[in-house]
Structure formats: C-alpha cells, structure tokens
C-alpha cells in the first residue's frame, strides 16, 4: 500500500491538447494551493512537443512546482499519425504499452522514495484503474468535458444502447464508475463551473459525487503553457492592438479538427462578406499540398498557432468562430467573448448547444445582440464568483 503521510498526486493525461490544458491547470492549482507533491505525466511524444523550446524536451524535470515525468506509449517519435494509422489499432497498442510503462513508473516512484498517494486521470485512460488498483492507490477521474456531456453518457450507458461499438471506450469508463458504486458513491472531478451546468450536475448526483472543477485560463498564461504546437512568430497581439474594440473575428478549430479545402473556401467567402478583420488559426498539419491561398493583408491575419487565451482576452476580439471543443468553449465564456459554433464531432454538438449563435447576431447593435453580450458577461461573472466563493477549485473537497 502507498504511504499516505506525504500527499503525492500523479496526473496521467491523454496526449491531446484538450486533456493537457485542463489537467495542467489543475495540477498547478493543486501544487500552489496545497503544497502537495505533484507529478504530471503524459506520453514522451507530447512531452517533447510541450517543451520543444526548452532544454527539457528529452528528459523528466522539475520546474520548482511540478515534476514532469513522461511515459512511453510506443509512439515516441511520431505520435498518432492520422493519415497512416488505424485509430482502433493505435488505441490498442497505446493501451498495452502505456499500461506497462505507467506501472513501471509507479514502481520507480516507490523505489525512489516518492510513492504516489492519489492518481488523477483524464477521459479515455480507463486502464489506469487496473494499475492503480493493483498497487492500492486511490484514483479519481478528471472529466475534461462538460458536465452535460458527462450526464448524457452516464444516462445513455445505463440505458439500453450498450451495443454501439464506437462508444466502447467510454462504455468501459462508465462501467468502472458503476463498479466503484457497488462499494461507495463514485467521485468524479468535472472541468466545469457549478453555475453553468446546475441541471446536468444534479441529474447524476444521486449516484455520482460530481465535483465541478473548472479553471480560469488567465491564471497561468505566464507560466509553462504546455502547447503541443509551436506558437506562430507573427506579431498577432500587436496586430490586434491596431484594431478597434470588438471588431475582430477570431477563428480556430482547436488542435485536432482538419478542415477540407472546400470548407475553408466557404469560410473565406463568409469572412469577406462580413467585411470585418479576422485572425485565423490554420495549423501546419491542416495545410495540405493543395493549400488554399488565404488572403492576408492589413485586416486579415493567418497564424499556425497562437496563445488563444491571450487572444480571447484582447479587447479587439468581438467574436470567436469555434469548433466548440470544451476548452475553447470554456475559454470563450470565461473571457466573455460571444461565439459562433461550428461543431465537428464527439462532445462538440452538445457544447454548441450551450453556446450562443450567429456572427451578425452576436456582433451587431440590435436588441438581441446586446442581450447576448450581456449573457456572455453574466456567464463570465458566474465563473469568477464560483472560483472566488470556493464552490469550484476547492482542493479540500478533493
Ligand atoms: N489553442 C491555442 N492556440 C491555438 C488553438 C488552440 O492555445 O491556436 C488551445 C485552446 O486555447 C484550447 C485547446 O488548444 O485550450 C484546444 O482544446 P479544445 O478542447 O477546445 O479542442 P480540441 O483541440 O480538443 O479539439
């Protein structure tokens, strides 16, 4: 059994930006507010990209707050390659390799006199349950999507639709929660704010202790950002400085979604018609050979990757056209920026339902537009209130 006298939290995250961002914020918050030992672990491939601009990209290290300790998932050099790998095959190999290597990592920490007393893991890493169980270490899921999405899956998997193969991974996760409940109420930390999703949280509260744990993204913009992509060198913040308040359309579809050339053409057309300045993130891995030449000029800027929270916090940004990834959704709400949702897959359609709609509608001067902006501000205030009042981010409840 682990030594419980020295709290040591090990965060294990799936190697995607949307898992790394909230888990890293959470880890930093925990280390700062409780003084506990915190170790952050993702795959070697993601670790290298997170720290590519530092001397630490190829090793574990401590930044004075957190120890970063990567594990191998067997894909250290190239990660998951969408174009050439079968996703299911990748998941199976990822699981086998990661399970073995995280188990070794846990043993090494015991041998090195730093036993882990609690494991925090993000969605999709159901195998963590087995290895923590074998070593008698308590673990807690950090659900990095909306409580509404959690509640939807929760009720779905307890219903009669169990045979859908595509949902295998998530079904497994909810089975784990069911098994836990045989002994006691499952405890899940959810990346949201109490006031935003009262109904969804209430709908699972009889069976699950769902603790809202959203973060305010602005808190950590000056420390390690944990980006898997290199920030564009273009002076996009200075460019924003030259624009009028609330005039710029910011467009980004996150770290995974790929847009087809035709879809980009449609966006270009819509942007031209709107006659508003825009800042558009088109990642390097979304720039195929037959790349669409997107016009750039005084009022148009295209970047490969930016510091999104800084952009959303800039006074010039009036609207965010987003794929509705949960992190982007939270960030737009916390920064009080009205959004136009273009959901692609997984939880994004539900997230879009939680957002407001319509470019002209949100940026115009009509009664409805003013009302939407008022609501965006109200949601931001509620998030701030929740954090200040301690209904969120209360590490003692954890
Ligand atoms: N992001 C960023 N710069 C960019 C594009 C995205 O910092 O140019 C960050 C964004 O702030 C968010 C994360 O990448 O925290 C994307 O996560 P999300 O859940 O929105 O979408 P996913 O990448 O999983 O589709």
């Amino acid at each position: 059994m682990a030594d419980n006298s020295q709290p040591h939290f090990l965060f294990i995250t799936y190697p995607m930006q949307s898992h790394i961002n909230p888990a890293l914020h959470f880890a930093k918050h925990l280390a700062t507010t409780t003084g506990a030992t915190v170790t952050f672990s993702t795959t070697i491939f993601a670790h290298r990209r997170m720290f590519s601009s530092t001397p630490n990209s190829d090793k574990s290290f401590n930044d004075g707050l957190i120890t970063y300790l990567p594990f191998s998932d067997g894909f250290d050099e190239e990660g998951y390659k969408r174009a050439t790998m079968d996703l299911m095959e990748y998941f199976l190999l990822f699981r086998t390799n990661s399970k073995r290597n995280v188990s070794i990592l846990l043993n090494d920490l015991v041998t090195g006199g730093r036993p882990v007393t609690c494991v925090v893991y993000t969605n999709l890493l159901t195998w963590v349950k087995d290895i923590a169980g074998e070593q008698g270490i308590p673990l807690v899921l950090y659900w990095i999507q909306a409580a509404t999405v959690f509640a939807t899956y929760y009720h779905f998997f307890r219903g009669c639709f169990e045979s859908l193969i595509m949902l295998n991974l998530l079904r497994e996760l909810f089975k784990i929660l069911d098994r836990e409940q045989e002994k006691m109420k499952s405890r899940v930390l959810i990346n949201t704010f109490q006031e935003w999703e009262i109904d969804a949280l209430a709908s699972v509260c009889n069976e699950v202790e769902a603790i809202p744990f959203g973060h305010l993204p602005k808190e950590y913009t000056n420390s390690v950002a944990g980006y898997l992509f290199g920030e564009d060198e273009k002076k996009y913040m200075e460019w924003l400085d030259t624009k009028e308040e609330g005039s710029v359309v910011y467009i980004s579809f996150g770290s995974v979604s790929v847009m087809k050339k035709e879809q980009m053409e449609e966006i270009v057309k819509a942007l031209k018609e709107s006659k508003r300045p825009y800042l558009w993130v088109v990642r390097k891995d979304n720039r195929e050979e037959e790349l669409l030449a997107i016009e750039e000029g005084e009022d148009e800027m295209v970047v490969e990757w930016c510091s999104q929270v800084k952009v959303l916090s800039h006074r010039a940004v009036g609207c965010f056209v987003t794929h509705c990834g949960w992190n982007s959704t939270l960030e737009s709400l916390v920064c009080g920026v009205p959004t136009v949702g273009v959901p692609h897959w997984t939880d994004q359609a539900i997230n879009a339902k939680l957002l407001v709609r319509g470019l002209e509608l949100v940026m115009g001067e009509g009664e409805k537009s003013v009302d939407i902006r008022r609501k965006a501000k109200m949601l931001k205030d509620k998030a701030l209130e929740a954090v200040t009042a301690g209904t969120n981010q209360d590490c003692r409840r954890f």
Side-chain angles (χ1 to χ4, degrees):
M1 289 286 286
D3 169 10
N4 285 316
S5 56
Q6 289 287 329
H8 180 183
F9 296 89
L10 172 66
F11 282 72
I12 305 179
T13 66
Y14 191 73
M16 260 171 79
Q17 195 75 70
S18 54
H19 289 235
I20 290 170
N21 280 9
L24 192 52
H25 280 292
F26 182 7
K28 287 176 183 176
H29 183 77
L30 193 63
T32 316
T33 56
T34 67
T37 304
V38 177
T39 301
F40 188 89
S41 192
T42 187
T43 63
I44 289 177
F45 175 73
H47 178 94
R48 282 184 183 150
R49 289 178 76 175
M50 282 168 74
F51 302 106
S52 59
S53 57
T54 75
N56 298 314
S57 63
D58 254 330
K59 56 175 195 235
S60 57
F61 70 100
N62 182 293
D63 67 358
L65 188 64
I66 288 177
T67 301
Y68 296 88
L69 192 57
F71 62 88
S72 174
D73 63 350
F75 298 92
D76 302 350
E77 298 309 319
E78 297 208 294
Y80 168 63
K81 289 283 239 194
R82 196 180 359 238
T84 51
M85 287 181 202
D86 176 77
L87 187 60
M88 216 52 205
E89 239 170 67
Y90 163 79
F91 267 132
L92 291 176
L93 284 169
F94 170 87
R95 180 193 185 104
T96 311
N97 296 327
S98 304
K99 195 170 166 179
R100 183 181 59 243
N101 293 327
V102 171
S103 179
I104 294 171
L105 184 148
L106 278 170
N107 281 322
D108 287 350
L109 285 169
V110 173
T111 321
R114 291 184 293 150
V116 172
T117 56
C118 181
V119 172
V120 182
Y121 69 107
T122 59
N123 317 15
L124 302 182
L125 303 182
T126 47
W127 45 268
V128 172
K129 164 88 180 155
D130 299 336
I131 46 177
E134 276 162 21
Q135 304 197 20
I137 306 170
L139 91 161
V140 63
L141 165 68
Y142 186 30
W143 180 263
I144 49 97
Q145 295 176 339
T148 306
V149 176
F150 178 85
T152 305
Y153 283 131
Y154 187 83
H155 295 297
F156 177 81
F157 287 119
R158 305 194 102 213
C160 55
F161 302 100
E162 288 201 9
S163 62
L164 286 179
I165 293 164
M166 284 307 285
L167 294 170
N168 263 356
L169 280 165
L170 284 162
R171 183 174 59 185
E172 199 177 329
L173 184 70
F174 284 88
K175 274 198 174 145
I176 289 174
L177 295 181
D178 261 357
R179 276 202 298 275
E180 278 177 5
Q181 269 161 232
E182 287 164 15
K183 288 182 248 151
M184 59 185 283
K185 219 174 182 184
S186 299
R187 181 177 291 180
V188 180
L189 297 160
I190 299 192
N191 185 16
T192 193
F193 294 98
Q194 170 86 19
E195 300 300 325
W196 288 355
E197 296 192 273
I198 288 178
D199 293 346
L201 289 164
S203 82
V204 293
C205 72
N206 286 340
E207 297 90 359
V208 180
E209 190 186 348
I211 306 174
F213 206 94
H215 58 267
L216 288 180
K218 278 180 206 176
E219 278 176 38
Y220 295 111
T221 42
N222 292 328
S223 60
V224 174
Y227 291 146
L228 298 177
F229 303 84
E231 207 171 323
D232 204 304
E233 284 173 2
K234 283 184 194 158
K235 304 269 176 232
Y236 56 88
M237 291 305 288
E238 284 80 349
W239 179 83
L240 284 174
D241 287 343
T242 66
K243 302 296 168 216
E244 274 174 34
E245 183 164 347
S247 66
V248 174
V249 181
Y250 169 62
I251 308 129
S252 165
F253 299 114
S255 60
V256 184
S257 292
V258 175
M259 302 297 280
K260 293 204 179 85
K261 194 171 167 235
E262 294 77 17
Q263 288 172 306
M264 288 196 174
E265 275 165 357
E266 288 301 317
I267 295 173
V268 170
K269 252 194 245 164
L271 287 169
K272 274 196 177 145
E273 275 169 27
S274 85
K275 295 195 175 64
R276 297 183 188 275
Y278 62 80
L279 174 63
W280 187 355
V281 179
V282 183
R283 297 186 321 271
K284 222 182 205 159
D285 60 343
N286 193 184
R287 292 176 181 230
E288 293 161 18
E289 302 103 62
E290 216 198 328
L291 177 68
L292 170 78
I294 306 168
E295 206 173 296
E296 288 195 72
E298 201 181 317
D299 277 343
E300 302 90 14
M301 183 177 272
V302 180
V303 292
E304 287 181 3
W305 188 260
C306 67
S307 174
Q308 179 162 297
V309 174
K310 277 192 201 158
V311 168
L312 290 175
S313 308
H314 198 285
R315 53 150 195 86
V317 174
C319 169
F320 178 18
V321 180
T322 169
H323 69 312
C324 303
W326 185 234
N327 289 285
S328 298
T329 303
L330 284 179
E331 287 157 8
S332 69
L333 290 169
V334 169
C335 296
V337 179
T339 53
V340 174
V342 190
H344 293 184
W345 67 324
T346 67
D347 58 330
Q348 294 160 13
I350 291 182
N351 300 341
K353 265 200 92 117
L354 300 171
L355 284 171
V356 288
R357 296 170 291 274
L359 181 59
E360 271 315 311
L361 194 62
V362 291
M363 294 187 76
E365 289 308 319
E367 199 183 316
K368 209 162 186 182
S369 314
V370 173
D371 190 45
I372 286 169
R373 287 200 289 273
R374 188 186 54 77
K375 281 192 184 131
K377 180 169 181 323
M378 192 181 75
L379 285 165
K380 174 186 176 180
D381 292 345
K382 288 218 182 242
L384 285 166
E385 247 172 56
V387 171
T388 316
T391 47
N392 259 80
Q393 302 205 328
D394 186 350
C395 289
R396 282 163 306 179
R397 286 182 76 194
F398 170 45

